[in-house]
Amino acid sequence: MAIISSNIGDNNYPRIKKEIRLVDSKIIPEEKKSNNLNLARPETLQEFIGQDQLKSSLRIAIDASIYRKEPLEHILLYGQPGLGKTTLAFLIAHEMNTRCRITTAPAIERPRDIIGLLLGLHEGEVLFIDEIHRLNRLTEELLYSAMEDFRLDLTMGANRGTRCRTINLPKFTLIGATTKLASISAPLRDRFGISQKIEFYTYDELQQIIVNFSRLINLNLDDEASYNLAKISRGTPRIALRLLRRVRDYAQVVIKTNVISVNLIKKALNSYQIDEKGLDFLDRQYLSFIRNNNNPTGLDSIAAGLGDDSSMLEFVVEPYLIQIGFLMRTPRGRMLTDLGKKYIDSKHDNF
Ligand code: ADP
């Protein structure tokens, strides 16, 4: 049984290795520069797999704005990392036959940053702001009139020398992306004409994404192999594509093949400590800790015991464990289900 000999709060509890998790949906540096991944981005709504309801709403909005020769309404996309928000922003610009300028809220520090961005836009262009919930107040206030009336209201000088100046902007479409809808202020949220949630993907949809990408990188996957990989990708295309790239590394370097079977996937993922359920060392360490405690356990105690941040455990580790029926959040603390206990008891990892 994979049990770590420690009690809650025991400082001797082994620390979690702080390495990049393959099953974390946040983007990693390698992926920002990957040409293959950029090529894999679908360019039209038709090529974009899944999210049918979202696609049909966007189709109508895009066609209506082309018909009226007006810019598309501002769009807010929300959902977990890696589900395709950036991809959709590029794709919408492509469908509108225009350009997409891309930035992220933490990069817009001073008012002159957002003023520069807005003044640099051309008529009809798309401005994509990722992590829009992190905009500072001044930037957000400047955006209000820019979004509503395509106008910048600037106040210059101080006290008695204060002057107001209005600058007209080209008509543009703002696409904001966030993983935290609740952190966006109501006035900003209200200025988006379209607000859409991006859902997790089904196994079939992920399988399709995997098959398309494997063709692009010259891998030969059979049906069983692609479905197997889809099942452990946590409903997230970014994770699916990342796992596939790691499987390719293993296949080409260790086995010297481009033909991928289920067996090869198992071996490859094992070498990265990912098991048949798609759980990695951190998931197992988390489950072991609660199993060891044998009682409902508070999140803060788990975080202290594992030497990690409680919000990371809450938002990154727990959702998938709950989704696959291994974990329950109860008023008395986190508890393993029978399924979760059975799973962790069958593991022999040496943490
Ligand atoms: P987000 O902005 O939500 O974090 P991205 O748009 O960067 O996610 O998508 C992550 C990766 O997954 C990209 O490499 C993208 O090409 C791929 N991807 C996302 N959604 C889809 C989809 N529906 N079809 C194909 N590939 C997708």
Side-chain angles (χ1 to χ4, degrees), residues 20 35 67 98 102 131 138 140 166 168 184 203 215 252-253 323 351:
I20 292 171
N35 275 340
Y67 175 75
T98 187
I102 173 164
E131 296 186 72
L138 271 178
E140 193 176 311
T166 297
N168 288 325
I184 298 187
Y203 294 157
R215 285 200 193 113
Q252 292 178 341
V253 174
Q323 202 186 326
F351 294 118

Side-chain angles (χ1 to χ4, degrees), residues 25 45 51 84 100 126 133 149-150 153-154 175 179-180 194 208 231 267 316:
S25 58
L45 276 176
Q51 314 293 340
C100 179
V126 170
H133 60 275
D149 304 317
F150 304 110
D153 292 326
L154 303 176
I175 302 184
T179 48
K180 295 185 177 159
I194 300 170
Q208 191 57 54
K231 271 172 55 186
K267 278 193 201 146
V316 178

Side-chain angles (χ1 to χ4, degrees), residues 27-41 213 238 245:
I27 193 160
I28 57 174
E30 167 208 327
E31 288 164 349
K32 290 189 181 156
K33 290 180 266 166
S34 165
N35 275 340
N36 276 339
L37 281 177
N38 285 334
L39 283 177
R41 283 190 196 278
F213 190 60
R238 176 172 293 135
R245 293 197 322 277

Side-chain angles (χ1 to χ4, degrees), residues 10-26:
D10 183 344
N11 285 336
N12 294 325
Y13 204 89
R15 302 288 108 180
I16 292 169
K17 289 176 232 162
K18 306 279 184 210
E19 52 193 50
I20 292 171
R21 294 180 73 211
L22 292 185
V23 290
D24 188 334
S25 58
K26 290 202 202 78

Side-chain angles (χ1 to χ4, degrees), residues 236-294:
T236 308
R238 176 172 293 135
I239 297 179
L241 300 186
R242 187 185 296 151
L243 292 178
L244 184 60
R245 293 197 322 277
R246 293 294 79 85
V247 168
R248 175 185 62 166
D249 292 349
Y250 182 88
Q252 292 178 341
V253 174
V254 182
I255 319 278
K256 314 239 178 293
T257 180
N258 276 345
V259 181
I260 313 289
S261 64
V262 179
N263 233 343
L264 194 146
I265 289 183
K266 268 191 200 137
K267 278 193 201 146
L269 295 183
N270 254 333
S271 76
Y272 300 111
Q273 298 185 52
I274 296 173
D275 66 17
E276 71 292 344
K277 290 268 175 220
L279 300 190
D280 71 353
F281 61 90
L282 179 53
D283 299 309
R284 290 191 293 274
Q285 212 164 22
Y286 176 95
L287 293 170
S288 268
F289 190 87
I290 303 178
R291 180 70 174 130
N292 241 8
N293 196 38
N294 214 11

